Amino acid sequence: MPDIAIIGGGAAGFFAAVNAKITYPQTTVTIFEKSNRVLAKVLISGGGRCNLTNSFAQVKDLKHVYPRGDKLIKRLFKVFNHHDTYRWFEEQGVPLVTQDDECIFPKSQRATSIADCLIRKALQSGVKIRTGYTLERLTPLPDSRIKATFRSGTTAVFNKVIIATGGSPRAEKLSYLADLGHTIVAPVPSLFTFEVREPLFRALMGTVTDPVTLSIPTTKHRSTGALLITHWGMSGPATLKLSSYAARYINEQHYCFNVAVNWLNETNAETIRERLLTLAATHPKKQLNSIRPDNLSASLAVSLAESIARQRKTMG
Ligand SMILES: Cc1cc2nc3c(=O)[nH]c(=O)nc-3n(C[C@H](O)[C@H](O)[C@H](O)COP(=O)(O)OP(=O)(O)OC[C@H]3O[C@@H](n4cnc5c(N)ncnc54)[C@H](O)[C@@H]3O)c2cc1C
């Protein structure tokens, strides 16, 4: 039976290896991992608790949670979805819990439960695990097998090779795939915070506003969620999401771009005006820091009002 090489000992590599071995029991399935430890990322995922899937109970459209990959995810979910993931881990003896926010974690609250389960299942199924093997080149042979060359100089021939090497910050690290004729799209950073040169922000360090809508003017890129103001600028889910949705655009702008913050998460200016006027009319004697739209902190409401007043003064 054909030999299968799995390159990369992460979650994807282990899951592929286990399923390949179960589907083709006579095959030799070997995981080749470049570092000296497997599943390193699983162990740090979810803050060490491993948020392994989601119930999707609050997701109406996959486009909202996978803005660049919803079609692919829909296709993949037809083969193996979040229910299958849940069932698979519970069948391996790993009890899971669904949090109020629909995120699913191991009941133990430890990522090691997930890593141990994958390693146990791989070894029980007969998968071989080799660490310290960095794949450098793949050479197709005339008999349609593939020769793998590792950094150490070791070579081996396989009938099938599954690449599960995760993300790579540099395109040249994937040259072994380009050599096979694959097109490599240059990777760009994603999921980062923004440095903001706005004095208003410096004074509001630590303020959380939830929800806000962030957008990049003149583009369709926007995100909604909590915004955390830090000593360097903006962080929190809304910022991280926008950095991911607009990753390529931001890269093209050389990381210098404008961000608009919709603090009240309302797009209709007239509705905002009415909301503020009603608030003022119902509390005519109160100070601005004690009557304000619910999602704004007192310091933010006052800072925004002062900033608007300053701008109006400058404009005459
Ligand atoms: C801090 C943090 C928290 C996260 N939290 C969560 C979470 O809670 N829930 C969630 O779903 N996701 C989370 N993620 C994302 C998740 O960890 C990854 O999406 C997932 O681990 C990717 O698995 P993978 O197997 O595709 O890749 P990886 O885990 O990156 O595994 C790829 C493996 O391939 C090896 N490799 C690379 N190149 C070669 C080569 N040439 N030869 C041999 N081996 C090679 C690497 O050393 C690595 O071990 C988190 C990520 C981070 C960084």
Side-chain angles (χ1 to χ4, degrees), residues 200-202 204-209 227-231 233-235 263 300:
L200 173 77
F201 270 58
R202 302 266 182 268
L204 293 169
M205 189 173 87
T207 306
V208 177
T209 313
L227 169 68
L228 165 67
I229 300 179
T230 64
H231 66 276
M234 294 159 68
S235 184
W263 295 102
L300 178 60

Side-chain angles (χ1 to χ4, degrees), residues 105-219:
F105 287 87
K107 201 171 177 186
S108 66
Q109 300 291 323
R110 286 165 181 267
T112 44
S113 303
I114 301 300
D116 290 349
C117 164
L118 289 168
I119 294 172
R120 194 172 56 243
K121 187 71 186 166
L123 294 175
Q124 274 171 3
S125 317
V127 170
K128 294 180 180 170
I129 302 169
R130 300 281 177 266
T131 54
Y133 282 80
T134 304
L135 177 76
E136 284 209 324
R137 205 164 54 249
L138 290 172
T139 316
L141 301 177
D143 61 2
S144 80
R145 292 188 303 158
I146 302 165
K147 185 170 98 175
T149 306
F150 296 92
R151 185 168 295 163
S152 58
T154 311
T155 61
V157 174
F158 301 98
N159 287 66
K160 301 280 176 205
V161 175
I162 297 177
I163 304 292
T165 50
S168 169
R170 283 185 298 168
E172 61 271 22
K173 289 266 174 198
L174 301 172
S175 58
Y176 56 86
L177 290 175
D179 292 346
L180 292 180
H182 291 287
T183 306
I184 308 297
V185 178
V188 296
S190 177
L191 295 175
F192 47 86
T193 60
F194 301 161
E195 186 187 328
V196 180
R197 293 199 192 119
E198 162 60 62
L200 173 77
F201 270 58
R202 302 266 182 268
L204 293 169
M205 189 173 87
T207 306
V208 177
T209 313
D210 187 15
V212 302
T213 295
L214 298 183
S215 59
I216 301 182
T218 75
T219 75

Side-chain angles (χ1 to χ4, degrees), residues 7-12 32-34 41 45-46 51 133-135 164-166:
I7 312 297
F32 293 95
E33 164 57 43
K34 74 172 176 187
K41 223 183 258 176
S45 66
N51 173 197
Y133 282 80
T134 304
L135 177 76
T165 50

Side-chain angles (χ1 to χ4, degrees), residues 248-264:
R248 293 216 172 267
Y249 173 83
I250 295 174
N251 179 264
E252 283 158 15
Q253 304 309 308
H254 306 288
Y255 299 92
C256 196
F257 58 101
N258 289 321
V259 183
V261 184
N262 186 331
W263 295 102
L264 300 182

